[in-house]
Amino acid sequence: MKPNPIKARALQQIQQQLGHTFASTALLIQALTHRSHSAKNNERFEFVGDSILNYTIAKMLFDAFPKLSEGELSRLRANLVNESVLAELAREMNVGEALFLGTGELKSGGFDRASILADAMEAMFAAVSFDAGFAAAEQVVCRLFAGRVKAVDFKNQGKDNKTVLQEALQSLRFALPKYRIEKQTGEGTDARFEVSCDLGELGFICTAEAGSRKAAEQETAKEAMAWLQQKYPLKKKK
């Protein structure tokens, strides 16, 4: 299957985001192919990718939190390896633009469906391992999840700053925050992102700058949460 120019460009961007250039682009295409599009799809890839992801995140957490017990590490991993996080990561990478979907899925918005995006992420980890070996796939996972592992706060049951802020706003019955890229400069390792976090009806907006969008979003979420706790002190669970 030869992708059209738009898909070809999307596939190129995906490889840049992964930090891996495929020797066999066919593997990447299959990883991004939903069962609604073709019998040669990503379902079996997901099986392998899920195992690669779980092992790699487990090892990252094992190294990052040497004093935590097995149960505590398991809870941290569960908060990082789930459909919601994978879908969020896929959206950051614009994976939806590169998906190969059947007509029905296209019409129903499958390109932004969390389950489809999460499955594609797992399938891509498998595709990298088939293309260049397990170590290459492990490096891709480490690169993509490094910021999230660093942002984990065990006091909040392993939830990152964005998740903690979202749950706090929901508990207070306020709308979810909106994150916007206000400014972007440079490329690759020299890239800088200025991101804002807008709490809407609460009238609070803060900004932060970092080397990646997700890192900047985490910083703004942390600042917004600190403000929210001062204005609406949250009761601590016993």
Side-chain angles (χ1 to χ4, degrees), residues 45-119:
F45 280 31
E46 293 168 37
F47 172 72
V48 175
D50 176 69
S51 296
I52 293 171
L53 177 62
N54 272 282
Y55 166 78
T56 306
I57 295 299
K59 181 63 164 56
M60 292 174 74
L61 293 171
F62 181 86
D63 292 338
F65 301 97
K67 295 183 179 180
L68 296 186
S69 67
E70 177 190 1
E72 291 169 329
L73 290 172
S74 294
R75 286 193 290 276
L76 289 183
R77 184 176 61 180
N79 279 300
L80 288 170
V81 182
N82 57 58
E83 182 181 288
S84 177
V85 172
L86 286 169
E88 180 182 281
L89 182 57
R91 292 186 180 106
E92 291 175 0
M93 296 170 60
N94 295 318
V95 169
E97 295 181 5
L99 291 174
F100 294 86
L101 304 170
T103 304
E105 285 294 348
L106 278 172
K107 289 181 178 179
S108 64
F111 62 89
D112 193 47
R113 185 167 295 122
S115 59
I116 292 177
L117 291 172
D119 290 345

Side-chain angles (χ1 to χ4, degrees), residues 6 39 47 78 84 91 129 136 170 176 200 206 215 228 232:
I6 295 177
F47 172 72
S84 177
R91 292 186 180 106
S129 73
Q170 289 176 323
L176 298 182
C206 62
L228 187 67
Y232 300 93

